[in-house]
Amino acid sequence: MIKIIAVGKIKEQYLKEAIEEYKKRLSKYTKVEIIEVASSNLDLKDKNLMIEAKKIEPLLTAKDYIIVLDINGKQMTSKEMASMIDTVFQKYSNITFVIGGSEGLSDEIKKKANMSFSFSKLTFPHQLFRVMLLEQIYRSYKIMNNETYHK
């Protein structure tokens, strides 16, 4: 199973529709669960990250291979991501991706991760990023199954 834990709520209807479309496409290959955690909007970044971490921590289990999305993480091609997903599922029953809010993720959550992953050095809106992550997971499954997909 793929789990995505994301800080913040999706407000835009077009993004909700895109997320549902990729979940539907992925249902052919795996179960996908998206868990939204409320963001904290205090004036202190460290306090926000701590509050969000306390909401994320109970959602992480020993069965999870935890991948945090972080601008300083490892970058991969789509083929490398497909290979990584395939390899991880040989040892773990769940891959859990954790997407932080606008201020990122706490060091506590980053330390719990098996891997830190970056799509780019660019900064993306975290709401749009969910769609991008789902698309790349879908692309990975297409690659793993030797199925054609638009390049």
Side-chain angles (χ1 to χ4, degrees), residues 89-151:
F89 274 130
Q90 293 173 24
K91 295 182 182 175
Y92 291 82
S93 55
N94 298 329
I95 297 178
T96 299
F97 292 91
V98 183
I99 304 171
S102 58
E103 295 178 331
L105 291 165
S106 73
D107 288 340
E108 284 177 15
I109 297 298
K110 289 178 186 180
K111 287 176 187 169
K112 291 184 181 300
N114 299 90
M115 177 184 182
S116 181
F117 179 41
S118 173
F119 271 34
S120 166
K121 292 293 181 190
L122 298 172
T123 301
F124 298 105
H126 62 277
Q127 293 184 338
L128 177 61
F129 191 77
R130 277 189 230 181
V131 176
M132 295 169 57
L133 175 60
L134 284 165
E135 190 282 332
Q136 284 299 305
I137 294 168
Y138 175 68
R139 184 179 298 273
S140 293
Y141 275 96
K142 296 295 266 184
I143 291 168
M144 288 185 287
N145 288 285
N146 295 314
E147 298 172 3
T148 57
Y149 185 58
H150 184 268
K151 294 180 183 183

Side-chain angles (χ1 to χ4, degrees), residues 1 9 16-17 21 47 53 61 74 78 83 97 104 111 124 130-131 133 142:
M1 175 173 77
K9 299 248 181 240
K16 289 178 182 179
E17 289 170 7
E21 175 63 25
K47 184 79 170 164
T61 72
K74 178 182 177 172
S78 294
S83 177
F97 292 91
K111 287 176 187 169
F124 298 105
R130 277 189 230 181
V131 176
L133 175 60
K142 296 295 266 184

Side-chain angles (χ1 to χ4, degrees), residues 14-47:
Y14 73 97
L15 293 174
K16 289 178 182 179
E17 289 170 7
I19 288 166
E20 287 308 311
E21 175 63 25
Y22 281 110
K23 282 177 67 179
K24 184 174 93 177
R25 291 182 187 191
L26 279 161
S27 68
K28 174 181 173 183
Y29 306 104
T30 189
K31 183 179 179 205
V32 176
E33 179 182 11
I34 298 176
I35 303 166
E36 291 183 333
V37 172
S39 59
S40 180
N41 296 312
L42 301 175
D43 288 336
L44 300 169
K45 177 184 176 183
D46 290 341
K47 184 79 170 164

